[in-house]
Amino acid sequence: GDGSKTASAVRLEEAGDLEFDVPFTQLAVDNESESFTVRLFSGEGGYQKTVPGAELRRRDPRTGDVDDGLARSDAPRSGCGGGGGGGGGGATKRPMVEVHRGGDAPTSGARLFPASVTKKGNYGYEVEWADGATYIYSLWALARTAGAVRANGDDQSI
């Protein structure tokens, strides 16, 4: 190869110079510790990071940005991946993300676990929370939640 970086390569500060490929990101739930394990892989090896469930829940499922409104189970969301967010439209590649909302789930003290995780194609993982909310998190959002940044320094979504 010519050594050029791919748009889907990310780095983690604690992993040194390794670059990880976002398309190979994996997610697993640990209901006992109420956390998730995000696994990132590169040609040289892998890295896994434990993310508290409450931290994942407050992340935008499309971008991985912190959105404290998502921590509430009644936060209004519409369409695929919700509304708002930075940057205009354009022809950028975006992961396909669907957001499904639970019914009249309680908003305070709602339990998030046990949660279940289901792989959705090659674009993300569906997390069904105990309070009835269901989100499909893009692989990019999971990598960002684990602390990853784009290897080329441009921290916009892939």
Side-chain angles (χ1 to χ4, degrees):
D2 61 6
S4 64
K5 295 178 181 358
T6 64
S8 62
V10 296
R11 290 182 185 218
L12 288 167
E13 185 177 325
E14 61 264 38
D17 289 336
L18 283 181
E19 290 186 8
F20 301 97
D21 298 314
V22 172
F24 299 113
T25 301
Q26 294 180 356
L27 181 70
V29 64
D30 182 345
N31 284 310
E32 229 173 270
S33 68
E34 298 192 349
S35 64
F36 293 87
T37 301
V38 178
R39 292 183 182 95
L40 300 165
F41 297 93
S42 74
E44 294 82 35
Y47 188 86
Q48 72 178 33
K49 187 161 184 178
T50 301
V51 176
E55 178 63 24
L56 180 60
R57 179 62 180 264
R58 63 191 288 253
R59 297 294 184 131
D60 182 288
R62 182 175 57 87
T63 65
D65 293 338
V66 172
D67 182 348
D68 286 321
L70 292 172
R72 295 189 348 255
S73 56
D74 67 341
R77 304 289 287 176
S78 62
C80 290
T92 58
K93 288 196 321 188
R94 292 189 181 166
M96 296 174 14
V97 178
E98 300 173 28
V99 177
H100 301 280
R101 299 300 313 170
D104 298 319
T107 59
S108 62
R111 290 199 43 82
L112 299 179
F113 290 87
S116 65
V117 171
T118 307
K119 178 105 168 97
K120 291 296 183 182
N122 58 3
Y123 58 87
Y125 284 85
E126 177 183 87
V127 176
E128 185 176 343
W129 300 94
D131 68 0
T134 300
Y135 295 104
I136 297 178
Y137 292 90
S138 71
L139 297 176
W140 170 243
L142 294 171
R144 286 209 51 211
T145 300
V149 295
R150 293 253 309 242
N152 65 7
D154 178 8
D155 201 28
Q156 297 301 308
S157 63
I158 293 171

